[in-house]
Amino acid sequence: MASLNDTIAALDRLPALPATSLQLISMLAGGGRDADLREVERIVSRDEAVAASVLRRANSAALGMRGRVAGISDAIRRLGTRELCRIALETQTSGLLANAGRSYGLRRGALSQSALGGAIAADALARSHTDQGVKVDREIAFVAALLRDIGKLAIDAVAGPDALEAIAAAADTRPFLAYEREAFGADHAELGAILCERWSLPTAIIQAVRGHHEPPSSPVEPLTDVVHAADCVARWAGLGLGCDGLMYPFDSGARERLGTTRDELEALVADILAATAPEQTPGILAPGNTLRRSA
Amino acid sequence: MSRSPSLPLKPEPAAGRAPEGDKIVVGVADLQVSRDPGKAIITYALGSCIGVTLYDPVAKVAGMLHFMLPESSVSAEKAAANPAMFGDAGLPILFEKVIAAGAKRERLVVCAAGGAEVLADDGHFRIGSRNRTILRKIFWKLNLLLAAEETGGQHSRTLTIRLSDGQITIRSQGKESVLWPR
């Protein structure tokens, strides 16, 4: 067990999100104008892992394109700013999260896959919420969901071996965050928000990371509602399930505000599983494959 | 020339867990059937999903399905691409595959684990319990009874079946328990 001071001190020892990711997020928060393409190109070309992902995606059959791309410049032109930003953020976040979640009993890569699954769900839910008249920026929803469990890195740093398993084994029906707060002085959602604050990310993203298990009802944060539901969808798809299992509630207020039906969410569960299957190129849903509304 | 995998090609594994290399992993929305007595079939992180095993102790054929959602009607397109996502589509296929591999219906031992629920669901989604219901419904139609199950709650579970003797173990919260034989 650790004190709040120890836990906060552990944040200093964690790797940071690469500066290029922070630039991209700030660009997206500013509306992701076409004029930014040159800057995105520069970022993409300089990071080998990102460039490889961009080439893979550009060649992916999921995009329905004909012919292989000639090289990185061709790939960048074909994909466009928005998609390039997503790929870069996905790749860099995935690098940060690859070994995260050990204290929850997660295997390597499980938290990256869960981050991506939630991000894809958040995009679809943001679009659906916007269609109903509550504007939620899809790009920001994607990024916030991608980063929602970043605080688990801090729990990994302070939790002793098997500590969380022992906590989960003794747990009753309270949300898992309550046990994290007891054991470490703060839960992974709060710790994630503190990291996002340190990285000077937009306030809406910080709020969504902080509230992704407990979305506030007053004032309502539509982005947080979206990321909260996306997290539940990812859990139902079996993504990122460690010893904390399903010990998180689906907030009834958020559910009512989002107005999504069970069938819509279940269709999304099926979609994100297909989109994050290890044998496929991870990433976006195939074109036209969005949250279906029953009406 | 291929030999029948039902022949005892390998020595029986020692008691306890099968070695890592001898695991056949069933992913989420996936199913596997084997007749190799040196193997174990395993699936990780069952939350609201359900892991189902069918085992014939005489033919030593085992199959495991890890399905995610109860009904394929929510996405006909996904069900066509991967029926193992859904209980109503995947369970009959698991049954057909173990029979095709040499199992006999009357000898089948059926076990299940998973079907957990998120907290405070308020009866709105109940994916875990609806997965449990579809399991019973399909097995009732197939005239099969569950020999053992560990379902419900909020925990994540890892399910393993050993081909040599059909022993089924569940790992959850750092503890391992034997589900079958009891």
Side-chain angles (χ1 to χ4, degrees):
Chain A
M1 302 304 115
S3 70
L4 177 59
N5 283 345
D6 292 343
T7 307
I8 298 288
L11 296 175
D12 295 334
R13 303 194 297 272
L14 296 179
L17 197 61
T20 46
S21 267
L22 302 178
Q23 273 177 274
L24 290 174
I25 294 171
S26 127
M27 212 179 276
L28 286 173
R33 295 175 305 279
D34 287 344
D36 295 326
L37 184 60
R38 194 178 298 269
E39 181 61 16
V40 179
E41 279 185 35
R42 194 182 59 79
I43 290 167
V44 165
S45 315
R46 274 177 25 183
D47 185 318
E48 273 182 36
V50 173
S53 302
V54 166
L55 280 170
R56 217 169 28 244
R57 183 72 53 81
N59 279 317
S60 157
L63 283 166
M65 291 174 171
R66 293 188 184 280
R68 291 181 68 79
V69 296
I72 191 71
S73 309
D74 189 18
I76 286 169
R77 272 195 307 278
R78 286 198 192 202
L79 291 167
T81 318
R82 176 175 156 265
E83 192 52 27
L84 286 173
C85 281
R86 284 194 177 199
I87 297 168
L89 289 166
E90 237 176 80
T91 309
Q92 295 190 331
T93 310
S94 172
L96 200 59
L97 288 175
N99 289 312
R102 284 188 317 275
S103 58
Y104 294 81
L106 291 175
R107 291 180 299 154
R108 185 180 155 77
L111 208 57
S112 312
Q113 200 189 359
S114 158
L116 180 59
I120 295 168
D123 173 15
L125 288 161
R127 179 191 290 191
S128 155
H129 212 25
T130 302
D131 289 347
Q132 291 171 76
V134 184
K135 173 130 183 66
V136 179
D137 186 296
R138 289 173 56 193
E139 305 312 318
I140 298 299
F142 184 91
V143 176
L146 205 54
L147 295 173
R148 71 191 190 281
D149 278 335
I150 203 91
K152 287 188 175 174
L153 282 168
I155 301 282
D156 278 346
V158 290
D162 307 325
L164 290 190
E165 279 194 344
I167 289 170
D172 50 34
T173 55
R174 283 186 298 157
F176 200 71
L177 291 189
Y179 300 101
E180 289 181 347
R181 288 193 282 260
E182 277 173 16
F184 312 111
D187 57 62
H188 75 266
E190 179 62 32
L191 292 165
I194 295 172
L195 281 173
C196 291
E197 264 167 4
R198 290 187 176 192
W199 299 335
S200 305
L201 294 185
T203 307
I205 293 179
I206 297 168
Q207 287 174 341
V209 170
R210 179 175 283 123
H212 78 276
H213 288 300
E214 296 167 335
S217 55
S218 174
V220 166
E221 296 165 7
L223 176 69
T224 307
D225 285 347
V226 159
V227 175
H228 171 63
D231 184 84
C232 293
V233 166
R235 270 174 203 285
W236 281 324
L239 299 175
L241 290 186
C243 62
D244 50 347
L246 299 180
M247 295 167 67
Y248 302 97
F250 195 137
D251 184 81
S252 56
R255 189 191 66 230
E256 281 164 22
R257 290 189 290 274
L258 288 167
T260 47
T261 66
R262 185 173 78 189
D263 281 0
E264 289 160 6
L265 287 182
E266 287 191 6
L268 198 49
V269 169
D271 283 346
I272 69 162
L273 184 79
T276 58
E279 67 270 19
Q280 296 193 15
T281 304
I284 57 162
L285 295 175
N289 205 356
T290 56
L291 181 59
R292 287 178 289 278
R293 306 205 62 86
S294 52
Chain B
M1 213 173 88
S2 65
R3 285 190 290 179
S4 163
S6 64
L7 292 172
L9 303 176
K10 290 184 179 179
E12 295 277 308
R17 278 199 276 172
E20 276 296 318
D22 284 335
K23 283 180 181 162
I24 300 166
V25 177
V26 177
V28 181
D30 184 19
L31 74 84
Q32 298 286 339
V33 173
S34 176
R35 306 165 68 181
D36 184 339
K39 300 270 191 197
I41 310 178
I42 185 165
T43 197
Y44 297 97
L46 290 161
S48 50
C49 301
I50 287 191
V52 186
T53 57
L54 298 183
Y55 181 68
D56 179 335
V58 178
K60 296 200 186 300
V61 170
M64 185 189 285
L65 165 71
H66 180 147
F67 72 91
M68 198 166 67
L69 294 166
E71 288 166 85
S72 50
S73 55
V74 297
S75 179
E77 172 209 343
K78 289 286 181 307
N82 182 10
M85 269 189 187
F86 303 96
D88 63 351
L91 288 164
I93 295 175
L94 174 69
F95 175 71
E96 283 164 22
K97 285 192 183 266
V98 292
I99 296 296
K104 292 273 178 267
R105 174 203 293 266
E106 57 276 16
R107 296 195 298 245
L108 283 179
V109 178
V110 186
C111 295
E117 215 72 86
V118 295
L119 286 172
D121 181 273
D122 296 340
H124 274 271
F125 299 109
R126 295 169 41 251
I127 293 182
S129 61
R130 285 168 46 243
N131 276 339
R132 304 199 298 268
T133 304
I134 200 80
L135 178 77
R136 283 184 177 71
K137 196 169 153 188
I138 300 286
F139 281 155
W140 183 80
K141 280 187 187 166
L142 293 170
N143 200 19
L144 293 170
L145 287 175
L146 275 172
E149 67 174 309
E150 188 189 298
T151 53
Q154 272 81 39
H155 296 321
S156 159
R157 299 172 171 99
T158 291
L159 176 70
T160 309
I161 181 164
R162 195 163 66 186
L163 268 289
S164 60
D165 59 0
Q167 188 192 73
I168 295 169
T169 48
I170 292 177
R171 190 171 169 81
S172 184
Q173 262 66 45
K175 286 183 198 129
E176 194 164 277
S177 57
V178 175
L179 180 66
W180 189 89
R182 286 185 186 276

